[in-house]
Amino acid sequence: MPSRTPDRRRPVPPSEELLAPVSPGVELCYQTFGHPEADPLVLVMGLGGPMTWWPSALCEQLAEAGFFVVRYDNRDTGRSTRMPGRVTHAMLVRAFLGRRVRAPYSLADLADDAFGLMDHLGLDSAHVAGLSMGGMVAQTMAIADPRRVRSLTSIMSTTGRRSVGWQSPRLLPALVAPRQPGREAYVRTSAALWRMIGSPEYPVAHEVLLERARETYDRGFDARGVLRQTLAVLTQPDRTRRLRGLRMPTAVVHGLADHMVHVSGGRATAAAVPGAELVLIDGMGHDLPEALHPSLVDVLRRTADRAARPAS
């Protein structure tokens, strides 16, 4: 269907949180914003992050910009299906060192989940934007079935090549420290990590970080699920060569103050995809500050507008 501009005199409220069966044994929790006849935009969140890490205010702005926005909980996150498979510390170490490890699932499986959600919604194709691990999944979707990805926006992510997109060494103590069980321990450590990786030029009040952590935990935080996702990231392939074959409009957004995924990951992604627009933002870390929402909406809108309009 050709792109349509929704009638802003008739706003569509966000949907309830719904469940979609996307493959045998996997259901994803999702929510939509905007008019179903607008340009479909699938938002893919990163490691351990529920769909609510895509702020509702940002989703509403995207809907106002002419998108039918779909956000969802990845498997092992939020209210989506918990997967089987035990991941040990030794497995993570072997994968980090580049040794062969059998992961419970891969980034390709997460990409198939997103395609399954699109099928459930009757979307033959969509604009796709992913953040961090979600950017890796979005890239994997574009490589696996480019006909279904109208445009690609990769945010604070990387190509899978180990020589780019590394984590700052100063984060390692916090990332490898033993985790205490329970809600209060999660909230405390999560808020402290967000303080370390957030945007230094766009600081967030500590109480806001605590509330985000509480909401994340209460939606269904699963430490074992985070380990399974982590192993999927550590065992991902280098996508550089296959990214060179993409032809859909692509934007790459990265903060120059990102300590979780070094900006070299964004630069490498943009260099690999022909014609990609690289947007580097001063003072942005590994989060989505409210002050930058209009800029992100603008990037997503102009990238989508570069896509060829299918014939009616």
Side-chain angles (χ1 to χ4, degrees):
M1 294 293 291
S3 173
R4 300 178 182 177
T5 302
D7 184 352
R8 295 184 182 181
R9 294 171 298 179
R10 298 173 56 201
V12 174
S15 74
E16 299 295 322
E17 293 190 11
L18 305 167
L19 290 175
V22 298
S23 66
V26 180
E27 282 189 330
L28 299 184
C29 181
Y30 73 96
Q31 185 178 33
T32 67
F33 295 75
H35 293 252
E37 69 270 21
D39 292 332
L41 171 63
V42 176
L43 300 178
V44 191
M45 184 38 69
L47 178 70
M51 64 180 174
T52 50
W53 285 8
W54 292 104
S56 295
L58 174 59
C59 294
E60 290 166 358
Q61 290 179 46
L62 288 165
E64 290 170 2
F67 288 111
F68 175 59
V69 181
V70 182
R71 66 177 184 178
Y72 68 96
D73 293 331
N74 282 305
R75 61 168 72 184
D76 271 333
T77 306
R79 294 170 180 162
S80 291
T81 298
R82 294 296 183 269
M83 305 302 295
R86 180 170 176 259
V87 173
T88 66
H89 180 74
M91 293 168 68
L92 295 174
V93 171
R94 290 201 301 271
F96 180 79
L97 295 174
R99 298 173 184 170
R100 186 178 297 275
V101 179
R102 175 170 291 187
Y105 52 81
S106 67
L107 293 184
D109 294 316
L110 295 176
D112 286 342
D113 288 348
F115 284 136
L117 178 57
M118 289 169 57
D119 291 340
H120 176 80
L121 293 169
L123 301 175
D124 291 334
S125 64
H127 304 282
V128 180
L131 184 154
S132 196
M133 183 191 77
M136 303 168 195
V137 174
Q139 293 173 30
T140 302
M141 293 172 67
I143 290 168
D145 197 345
R147 296 170 301 173
R148 302 199 69 181
V149 179
R150 299 187 192 182
S151 72
L152 168 66
T153 302
S154 181
I155 305 169
M156 58 186 81
S157 193
T158 187
T159 62
R161 176 173 289 179
R162 288 175 173 264
S163 59
V164 298
W166 57 84
Q167 293 172 346
S168 169
R170 77 176 193 174
L171 296 179
L172 291 180
L175 294 174
V176 303
R179 295 288 190 267
Q180 296 180 349
R183 183 177 188 263
E184 290 310 310
Y186 172 82
V187 169
R188 183 174 61 255
T189 57
S190 176
L193 181 60
W194 277 111
R195 180 66 65 197
M196 295 176 69
I197 67 175
S199 300
E201 294 299 318
Y202 306 93
V204 177
H206 186 63
E207 183 53 45
V208 174
L209 297 178
L210 292 173
E211 184 56 35
R212 179 195 298 167
R214 294 184 190 107
E215 180 186 50
T216 299
Y217 189 90
D218 292 343
R219 277 187 64 80
F221 172 75
D222 186 341
R224 292 170 296 182
V226 173
L227 292 179
R228 287 188 285 269
Q229 289 187 358
T230 300
L231 194 56
V233 170
L234 290 175
T235 56
Q236 69 180 300
D238 179 359
R239 291 177 295 278
T240 304
R241 182 181 60 82
R242 299 191 69 186
L243 287 171
R244 294 190 181 114
L246 298 184
R247 295 295 180 266
M248 72 282 294
T250 298
V252 177
V253 180
H254 218 110
L256 291 170
D258 192 336
H259 298 299
M260 180 62 78
V261 179
H262 189 267
V263 68
S264 57
R267 289 192 171 111
T269 305
V273 181
E277 178 188 7
L278 176 60
V279 180
L280 301 178
I281 302 177
D282 285 326
M284 180 182 178
H286 205 71
D287 60 354
L288 295 172
E290 184 176 356
L292 294 179
H293 289 180
S295 297
L296 292 170
V297 172
D298 182 62
V299 170
L300 285 159
R301 184 67 264 171
R302 69 172 178 261
T303 304
D305 289 343
R306 290 168 52 202
R309 302 300 176 102
S312 59

